Amino acid sequence: MQASNDTRPSPEALISKFEVTRLLKQDQNSRRIVLLGTIGSQQAILTAERTAFATESLAALQAFQSAITRVNNLGDNDIYRWYLASSGIDTDGHPSHDLKLNLIWPCTEQHIKKYSDQTVRMVTETPAIYRDYVRPYMQAKREEGRLNWVFNILEGRTEQEDVILRDEGENGAGKEDAFLMLPDLNWDRKTLGSLHLLALVQRRDIWSLRDLKKRHVPWLKYLRRRVLEGTVKMYPDLEIDQLKLYVHYQPTYYHFHIHIVNVMLEAGATQATGKAFGLENLISQLETISGDEDASMADVDLTYYLGEASELWTGIFGPLKKGKKPAIEK
């Protein structure tokens, strides 16, 4: 059980209490490291990422140092917390926020597997595999309470100060079409070159792109238009053709959401083929798919990659490759 809100440390205090156990992962550009550790008696995962470097002057470049000198909590929701931190003094003598920190505490074994370096495999998920094994897996994960942090946002309990756009649907249609948009926890909220936003839909019947049907095309087009309009209104230095919209499969959590990023953002693994599916391409595929209005993305093969430590690989695709019966069934 988690401690009550009255006895839990403040978000800022948690960083100093984090004790490193081992390195889970370091990216190729050495801008991000993922550490496993403990806070008290519980495991935690700390992701440290250097934000985009200030390059407007030689003095700004020289101001960079390696030691964290100040931690500023940007927000927290359920087990997730994110921060800006300082590793030096800028040319005006003020602490410079040049590190982005994400903290998951307490973390689960599944978190540890997700953030650990691992071999990945390309898999093809047929409609039958989705129906018989993957869909039941999704349902089980939803029933475990993994979406509490999403529902906290949608129901107005947390992160309301971060909401950039709250749309009630076309002509105020209500929750069927409604969505809200807010910064992704991996964005530092100031560097437009690395802009990363999320659009969370209010409806709960669409868990992933697999649930999208031909009849959803008008809604998806409305979402696209309003997301783009809302982003450039909030950040007027950006234009619509500087934005990229995509959906993950497999997603990190099974509640439909759209990623909005600056097209100049370095395309890492989360934007790679086998992970990111462009929203415009999805709309086009649904428009041209054969069948009536209920024809859907559940009716097509999808090829994507999985880490060997993921439950989908160990429980479904690994056994199928060996000709064995998957452990996850309907």
Side-chain angles (χ1 to χ4, degrees), residues 51-52 74 84 100 184-192 194:
T51 58
L74 293 175
L84 284 181
K100 175 71 169 58
D184 182 86
L185 61 84
N186 289 311
W187 185 42
D188 66 6
R189 308 186 184 205
K190 63 179 182 179
T191 309
L192 290 183
S194 58

Side-chain angles (χ1 to χ4, degrees), residues 38-304:
T38 57
I39 298 177
S41 60
Q42 296 176 303
Q43 288 188 305
I45 292 173
L46 180 65
T47 302
E49 178 180 357
R50 297 187 185 279
T51 58
F53 293 104
T55 58
E56 67 274 9
S57 68
L58 177 61
L61 293 174
Q62 292 173 333
F64 177 78
Q65 296 179 11
S66 61
I68 298 176
T69 58
R70 188 177 66 174
V71 176
N72 177 32
N73 177 239
L74 293 175
D76 62 281
N77 185 346
D78 199 51
I79 63 173
Y80 303 97
R81 300 159 189 86
W82 44 100
Y83 313 80
L84 284 181
S86 301
S87 67
I89 303 297
D90 63 21
T91 53
D92 295 322
H94 303 296
S96 57
H97 286 119
D98 57 2
L99 291 178
K100 175 71 169 58
L101 306 176
N102 296 332
L103 178 66
I104 305 173
W105 177 71
C107 69
T108 65
E109 187 63 30
Q110 186 171 356
H111 285 118
I112 296 173
K113 290 178 179 178
K114 174 185 174 181
Y115 287 98
S116 296
D117 210 5
Q118 57 188 291
T119 300
V120 296
R121 303 275 187 165
M122 293 299 293
V123 301
T124 296
E125 182 184 294
T126 65
I129 292 173
Y130 170 70
R131 180 188 65 241
D132 295 340
Y133 304 114
V134 177
R135 179 74 177 188
Y137 171 82
M138 290 180 175
Q139 182 172 353
K141 292 305 166 187
R142 284 175 62 91
E143 292 173 352
E144 288 178 2
R146 298 285 179 86
L147 294 174
N148 288 344
W149 71 273
V150 176
F151 298 150
N152 285 342
I153 298 171
L154 293 175
E155 294 170 6
R157 290 191 290 269
T158 60
E159 298 188 53
Q160 297 311 290
E161 67 281 1
D162 294 328
V163 173
I164 295 169
L165 172 67
R166 186 182 297 276
D167 192 286
E168 299 302 330
E170 194 162 21
N171 300 318
K175 284 192 175 182
E176 182 76 4
D177 295 333
F179 71 96
L180 59 80
M181 192 164 62
L182 73 170
D184 182 86
L185 61 84
N186 289 311
W187 185 42
D188 66 6
R189 308 186 184 205
K190 63 179 182 179
T191 309
L192 290 183
S194 58
L195 177 107
H196 191 164
L197 309 176
L198 285 180
L200 300 173
V201 302
Q202 285 284 359
R203 61 191 302 164
R204 303 188 184 186
D205 58 328
I206 300 180
W207 302 355
S208 75
L209 64 82
R210 280 290 199 184
D211 290 311
L212 295 175
K213 301 181 178 182
K214 185 186 286 281
R215 59 183 167 87
H216 291 133
V217 166
W219 172 62
L220 291 171
K221 288 184 174 180
Y222 173 80
L223 272 178
R224 178 183 180 275
R225 175 172 62 83
R226 292 292 292 128
V227 162
L228 291 173
E229 290 174 349
T231 302
V232 297
K233 182 178 180 180
M234 183 67 184
Y235 306 103
D237 288 338
L238 292 174
E239 298 180 24
I240 285 177
D241 59 3
Q242 291 179 290
L243 300 172
K244 177 164 57 176
L245 279 57
Y246 60 87
V247 177
H248 281 152
Y249 196 81
Q250 289 280 331
T252 302
Y253 50 94
Y254 297 114
H255 180 94
F256 188 67
H257 56 285
I258 299 169
H259 294 261
I260 306 101
V261 302
N262 190 318
V263 294
M264 295 300 292
L265 178 63
E266 183 178 349
T270 61
Q271 295 186 52
T273 299
K275 181 66 174 179
F277 292 74
L279 181 62
E280 292 83 359
N281 291 340
L282 283 174
I283 292 172
S284 178
Q285 186 170 359
L286 287 167
E287 286 181 318
T288 56
I289 197 171
S290 61
D292 60 17
E293 291 298 287
D294 285 326
S296 76
M297 293 299 295
D299 303 325
V300 303
D301 289 357
L302 288 179
T303 298
Y304 55 93

Side-chain angles (χ1 to χ4, degrees), residues 133 315-316 319-320 322-329:
Y133 304 114
I316 299 177
L320 284 174
K322 298 176 181 177
K324 298 180 179 179
K325 190 175 183 179
I328 302 171
E329 302 181 51

